Amino acid sequence: MIWVWENKVTSIGEFPMSEPEFIDPRKLRPGPIRHGSLPQELLDQIRAVFEVIDLHIGMTLEEFEIGFMRDMHPQREVALWFRIAKAWLAYHEDFLGNKTLPNEEEGKLLGALIAISSGIEDVSKLQVPVEVGRRLVQCFDDPAN
């Protein structure tokens, strides 16, 4: 997932100073692969994250892994996605009794968590009900509680 701020493309995890600017996704092109391979430990973490959110990201495990190979700091990006997955699981455990919602709603939860991870603090901008947004922020900030 990439966001564009002030005509700069930035990966999730870098916190912008201004509101995102819309760009046509059809104009985006993948960056270069910066890492020919990733350590097995990192690949195991990527697989664990993928197993939690795979139905809602629209890509294969291999495509997901390649995204991290393009990242300048894949360890940081994996840690961020690991945190998103932990928050996802915490939300389902704490507020849904480990039940899942229809796919469209689950996709919105994931989108909200990605937005939260990128620094969006206004829960009214998360495209989920405000109370759900507050709960997701709570789970992202402290997935253990």
Side-chain angles (χ1 to χ4, degrees), residues 100-116:
T100 57
L101 301 171
N103 281 343
E104 184 177 331
E105 290 181 54
E106 292 287 352
K108 287 180 181 181
L109 293 178
L110 181 59
L113 284 168
I114 292 168
I116 291 164

Side-chain angles (χ1 to χ4, degrees), residues 1 3 11 30 37 41 46 50 54-55 57 60-61 70-71 76 82-83 93 97 103 112 118 127 129 131 138:
M1 173 65 74
W3 296 91
S11 66
S37 64
E41 180 180 338
I46 292 168
F50 183 81
D54 66 334
L55 296 175
I57 59 171
T60 66
L61 173 60
R70 295 179 190 284
D71 198 86
R76 283 192 232 161
F82 203 79
R83 188 169 174 191
E93 182 178 331
N103 281 343
S118 71
Q127 298 189 9
E131 184 57 31
Q138 175 187 339

Side-chain angles (χ1 to χ4, degrees), residues 53-107:
I53 62 171
D54 66 334
L55 296 175
H56 310 290
I57 59 171
M59 62 180 73
T60 66
L61 173 60
E62 182 179 67
E63 291 167 329
F64 194 54
E65 289 172 345
I66 290 172
F68 294 100
M69 294 168 71
R70 295 179 190 284
D71 198 86
M72 187 159 304
H73 304 285
Q75 296 85 352
R76 283 192 232 161
E77 197 72 10
V78 170
L80 186 62
W81 276 96
F82 203 79
R83 188 169 174 191
I84 290 168
K86 284 181 72 174
W88 169 281
L89 292 170
Y91 179 83
H92 283 79
E93 182 178 331
D94 295 348
F95 300 105
L96 299 178
N98 286 321
K99 294 181 180 168
T100 57
L101 301 171
N103 281 343
E104 184 177 331
E105 290 181 54
E106 292 287 352

